[in-house]
């Protein structure tokens, strides 16, 4: 299967600096194939024989801690899951330059709909579309700092998510679609 590993907090603001070359090599040591990274912020596309994304998250998190002393939590998505996220993006009107949309990928520990009910959204400045394991969050640019979603960074929930912009999300899916998934994995 083809997967994307979305790492939290890699190479952001000069913190948690990780070479993408080194990251790719460590993913290959985990016996993943067709490993590719996208931009310098912890997006890794790969093939794996394992069919359990949660088990892959655990393996990747252990490697990140051992190799880089990083304790962030990885979010792994299948190609099918990413297709659904981008399809949801395609249904949204993202043309208003006064609004910004981000894709918030949630760990499996988070129930997107139930958790969203506990967040005091401000409908006049932000909106959220709930997808399986993901929120498409949009906010008016001039009000970003007032939005409920921006305040999540100060909560424990923040450690259970990772954020990508729309362009990065689309690019990750495009790379996943270029990754062969029909040939046998070596050793499988």
């Amino acid at each position: 299967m083809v997967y994307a590993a979305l790492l939290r907090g890699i190479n952001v603001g000069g913190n948690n600096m990780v070479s993408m070359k080194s990251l790719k090599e460590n993913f290959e040591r985990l016996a993943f194939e067709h490993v590719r990274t996208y931009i310098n912020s912890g997006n890794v596309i790969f093939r794996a024989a394992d069919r359990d994304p949660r088990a892959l998250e655990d393996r990747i998190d252990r490697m990140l801690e051992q190799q880089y002393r990083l304790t962030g939590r990885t979010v792994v998505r299948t190609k099918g899951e990413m297709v659904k996220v981008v399809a949801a993006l395609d249904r949204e009107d993202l043309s208003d330059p006064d609004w910004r949309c981000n894709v918030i990928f949630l760990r499996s520990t988070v129930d997107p709909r139930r958790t969203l009910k506990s967040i005091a959204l401000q409908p006049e400045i932000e909106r959220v579309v709930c997808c399986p394991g993901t929120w498409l969050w949009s906010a008016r640019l001039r009000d970003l700092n007032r939005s409920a979603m921006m305040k999540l960074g100060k909560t424990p929930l923040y450690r259970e998510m990772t954020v990508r912009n729309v362009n990065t999300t689309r690019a990750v899916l495009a790379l996943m679609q270029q990754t062969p998934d029909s040939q046998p994995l070596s050793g499988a």
Side-chain angles (χ1 to χ4, degrees):
M1 295 214 23
V2 177
Y3 296 97
L6 307 169
L7 284 56
R8 284 192 80 252
I10 301 292
N11 300 334
V12 176
N15 296 311
N16 299 326
M17 302 306 291
V18 175
S19 150
M20 291 301 103
K21 180 181 180 204
S22 171
L23 188 61
K24 179 182 186 294
E25 291 168 353
N26 279 300
F27 266 70
E28 289 168 343
R29 285 187 193 104
L30 292 173
F32 300 150
E33 294 188 350
H34 295 280
V35 178
R36 297 169 76 177
T37 61
Y38 176 71
I39 63 176
N40 208 30
S41 60
N43 304 291
V44 185
I45 294 86
F46 62 97
R47 278 187 44 208
D50 197 324
R51 301 270 184 208
D52 181 1
R54 305 306 72 86
L56 292 171
E57 289 170 348
D58 291 342
R59 285 177 61 198
I60 294 165
D61 285 347
R62 281 193 305 276
M63 178 273 293
L64 292 171
E65 188 166 4
Q66 291 169 357
Q67 297 297 318
Y68 306 106
R69 298 188 188 281
L70 296 174
T71 58
R73 295 180 175 119
T74 305
V75 174
V76 171
R77 291 293 186 259
T78 66
K79 183 166 53 173
E81 289 170 326
M82 289 297 284
V83 164
K84 289 177 183 175
V85 169
V86 170
L89 281 171
D90 290 343
R91 289 189 295 271
E92 293 301 304
D93 178 10
L94 304 176
S95 63
D96 190 336
D98 294 330
W99 285 68
R100 176 188 295 161
C101 180
N102 283 315
V103 182
I104 300 175
F105 293 94
L106 304 164
R107 299 254 310 167
S108 62
T109 56
V110 178
D111 179 321
R113 292 193 189 286
R114 187 171 47 92
T115 303
L116 190 57
K117 289 177 184 176
S118 69
I119 298 171
L121 293 174
Q122 299 182 58
E124 67 281 359
I125 64 169
E126 64 190 327
R127 56 185 176 255
V128 178
V129 174
C130 199
C131 302
T134 309
W135 291 326
L136 307 181
W137 170 69
S138 298
R140 195 177 355 217
L141 286 170
R142 71 173 189 249
D143 296 313
L144 276 176
N145 291 333
R146 291 184 34 232
S147 69
M149 286 294 166
M150 290 301 280
K151 295 172 186 166
L152 288 178
K154 298 174 185 164
T155 69
L157 176 61
Y158 188 68
R159 292 188 46 81
E160 301 297 318
M161 64 177 63
T162 188
V163 180
R164 299 297 185 273
N165 69 38
V166 170
N167 292 337
T168 297
T169 302
R170 291 182 193 282
V172 166
L173 175 59
L175 288 171
M176 293 174 85
Q177 291 172 326
Q178 295 169 12
T179 303
D181 58 354
S182 60
Q183 52 193 1
L185 286 162
S186 60

